[in-house]
């Protein structure tokens, strides 16, 4: 039986009661925030330039690095945390709790709960919820300084917060971010609507609607080559854009179109495009179609992707070091000299950014002195000797104390991650729902890489126009602000999974298996039937609700708890089928009713309304007889 989809007017754009939207782009490798005042929505203000910062990087984001004291108290976040940790005495550093790239743990943990733990660089464990709350609290404290610019922010509910997450994250991970925000004091659980969870590629898509032609680089428009490989022009046009961004990075206000940008005005109703969000941790693909005249967006295929972000290149570098110096040595060095290890990863990061497909000269990665010294003490030989003896080609020792990596060696580090991204985009383009794509927008921090740009343009440039927004690493952040100003812009989404509950149906001989037979009060029932709320990849519009009625089993019952099941396919019949798992619980809190006034013939009926068309699954419920609201909640973290 298909779920009843009803139009509820509850999602009409309500008058905005908040005076500012603050969006936090909480990334795997770097994070940032931006804000906009609701009375001036065309201006998006970026955070101020961060303290610290690396040469050659536009520092409107800061590393997602957190430092806690040996006692577990908050010390610092971002460049400050990284630099302070780096300057600690090696022995002392072993007691401090330093976390980086910890967002990936939330993606990779299959049984995420409020008790899930994260491991600091020194091996000590802390509850993940604590770590995320510390980071969000840091952004809150930064952002609340906006009060100087806007006196009306004294009111507690004047800020609407937006936190970005990958679209491929499952419901438990989204709920986890919300719980961390409650713990950090961004909003109160009593006002959940004050916090929006934005999906990263969706935010990028919303921002791309506003692009002017001078704010994007079209990789498909290659000028006639003057004896240069045409691909080099990609790199140089990107350098010009980067230079422009660098010059303007002290002016922190970006103006966006009040309507849609020039690229968009070329598009007709029904035009389709892909947003490939290539970040530090994940690649996240979304397909949107434009609905005219209102300019809203409709998702055409459920979000897809996987853990194939820029971190994959770092892991490949770590593997390479293991091949040269021994995996056991690298593990010992990381444990005993954690700050020097961080130093080495920073040195590699700078070289990684400089890697380009047609580069002929080698890239030098400087090894920290403590690495060279530690190796000599542990192995009784020099780093240079290890390189000569290793079977690794294309990596040599330079007399200046550096690893000399040939362009082939660098290509090899990028290859596995880049080819996974290409494969994912290719798989998506083969889906029947994803035909006639006009544009492919490449966004996210990894999209700055000339290696990835070249690979995507080579693979798909003949099928669609490959477009890169000029400030590609900030696209999601700006889009998240726009989403906070108007969350109704994405009108239709696709359900990532099939959701439903287990019910009893009349037992039908020959149709239902014998082991599912349950005899109750003389009637034959079939147990474990999977009753669907919504199917995988089903289109669900904002404001559409799926309604179900539940009756308490006995008088005086104060709580109804219903298990929710999910599955990645649509052909599911029983909750015991392979691939079906219990993913959450729906709980309904019932008030006491005046029993004598409630006739036995009329069983109490609680009607639950679930919304699947938003970025998070939402539920509301009411007592049909009294029309009173019933407290309802869906929990995906208590499994």
């Amino acid at each position: 039986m298909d779920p009843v989809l009803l139009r509820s007017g509850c999602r009409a754009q309500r008058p905005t009661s908040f005076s500012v939207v603050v969006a936090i782009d909480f990334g795997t490798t770097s994070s940032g925030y931006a804000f906009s005042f609701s009375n001036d929505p065309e201006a998006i203000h970026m955070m101020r330039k961060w303290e610290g910062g690396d040469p050659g990087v536009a520092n409107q984001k800061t590393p997602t690095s957190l430092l806690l004291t040996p006692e577990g108290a908050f010390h610092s976040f971002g460049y400050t945390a990284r630099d302070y940790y780096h300057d600690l005495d090696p022995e002392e550093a072993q007691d401090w709790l330093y976390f980086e790239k910890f967002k990936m743990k939330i993606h990779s943990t299959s049984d995420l709960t409020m008790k899930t733990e994260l491991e600091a660089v020194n091996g000590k464990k802390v509850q993940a919820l604590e770590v995320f709350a510390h980071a969000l609290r840091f952004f809150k404290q930064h952002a609340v300084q906006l009060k100087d610019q806007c006196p009306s922010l004294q009111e507690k509910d004047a800020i609407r917060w937006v936190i970005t997450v990958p679209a491929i994250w499952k419901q438990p991970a989204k709920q986890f971010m919300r719980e961390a925000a409650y713990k950090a004091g961004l909003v109160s659980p009593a006002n959940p609507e004050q916090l929006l969870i934005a999906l990263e590629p969706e935010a990028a898509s919303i921002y791309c609607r506003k692009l002017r032609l001078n704010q994007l680089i079209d990789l498909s428009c290659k000028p006639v080559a003057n004896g240069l490989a045409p691909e080099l022009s990609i790199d140089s046009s990107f350098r010009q854009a980067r230079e422009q961004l660098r010059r303007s990075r002290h002016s922190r206000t970006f103006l966006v179109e009040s309507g849609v940008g020039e690229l968009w005005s070329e598009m007709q109703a029904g035009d389709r495009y892909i947003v490939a969000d290539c970040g530090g941790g994940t690649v996240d693909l979304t397909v949107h179609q434009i609905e005219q005249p209102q300019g809203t967006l409709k998702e055409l295929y459920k979000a897809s992707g996987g853990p194939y972000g820029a971190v994959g290149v770092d892991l490949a570098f770590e593997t390479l070091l293991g091949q040269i110096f021994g995996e056991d040595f690298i593990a010992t060095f990381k444990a005993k000299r954690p700050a020097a290890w961080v130093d080495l990863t920073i040195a590699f990061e700078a070289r990684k950014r400089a890697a380009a497909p047609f580069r002929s000269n080698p890239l030098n990665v400087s090894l920290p002195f403590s690495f060279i010294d530690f190796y000599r003490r542990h192995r009784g030989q020099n780093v240079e000797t290890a390189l000569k003896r290793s079977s690794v080609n294309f990596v040599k020792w330079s007399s200046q104390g550096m690893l000399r990596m040939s362009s082939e060696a660098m290509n090899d580090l990028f290859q596995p991650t880049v080819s996974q991204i290409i494969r994912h985009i290719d798989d998506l383009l083969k889906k029947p729902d994803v035909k006639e794509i006009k544009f492919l927008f490449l966004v996210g921090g990894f999209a700055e890489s000339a290696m990835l740009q070249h690979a995507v343009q080579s693979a798909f440039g003949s099928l669609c126009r490959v477009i890169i927004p000029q400030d590609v690493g900030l696209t999601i952040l700006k889009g998240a602000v726009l989403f906070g100003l108007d969350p109704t812009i994405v009108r239709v989404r696709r359900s990532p999974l099939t959701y439903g509950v287990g019910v009893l149906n009349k037992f039908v001989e020959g149709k239902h298996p014998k082991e599912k037979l349950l005899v109750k009060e003389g009637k034959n029932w079939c147990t474990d039937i999977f009753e669907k709320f919504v199917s995988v990849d089903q289109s669900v519009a904002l404001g559409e609700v799926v309604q179900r009625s539940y009756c308490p089993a006995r008088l005086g019952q104060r709580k109804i708890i219903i298990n929710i099941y999910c599955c990645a396919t649509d052909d599911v019949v029983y909750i015991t089928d392979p691939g079906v798992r219990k993913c959450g619980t729906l709980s309904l809190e019932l008030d006491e009713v005046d029993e004598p006034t409630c006739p036995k013939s009329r069983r109490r009926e609680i009607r639950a309304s679930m919304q699947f068309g938003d970025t998070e699954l939402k539920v509301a419920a009411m007592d049909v007889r009294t029309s009173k609201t019933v407290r309802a909640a869906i929990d995906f973290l208590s499994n």
Side-chain angles (χ1 to χ4, degrees), residues 257-278:
E257 297 291 296
S258 53
V260 294
E262 294 156 301
L263 184 69
W264 230 253
S265 47
E266 289 179 29
M267 292 177 131
Q268 269 98 56
D271 275 354
R272 300 146 174 244
Y273 61 93
I274 289 175
V275 176
D277 169 21
C278 305

Side-chain angles (χ1 to χ4, degrees), residues 46 57-60 238-251 254 448 469-474 478:
M46 304 303 284
V57 181
N59 300 312
Q60 272 155 335
F238 206 75
R239 284 212 186 93
Q240 286 163 8
R242 190 64 85 56
E243 183 56 26
Q244 220 173 320
L245 176 66
R246 193 187 64 72
R247 281 204 296 269
S248 70
R249 79 169 182 231
H250 293 286
S251 68
F254 291 82
E448 291 179 5
Q470 192 185 86
D471 44 356
V472 61
L474 301 174
K478 294 177 186 176

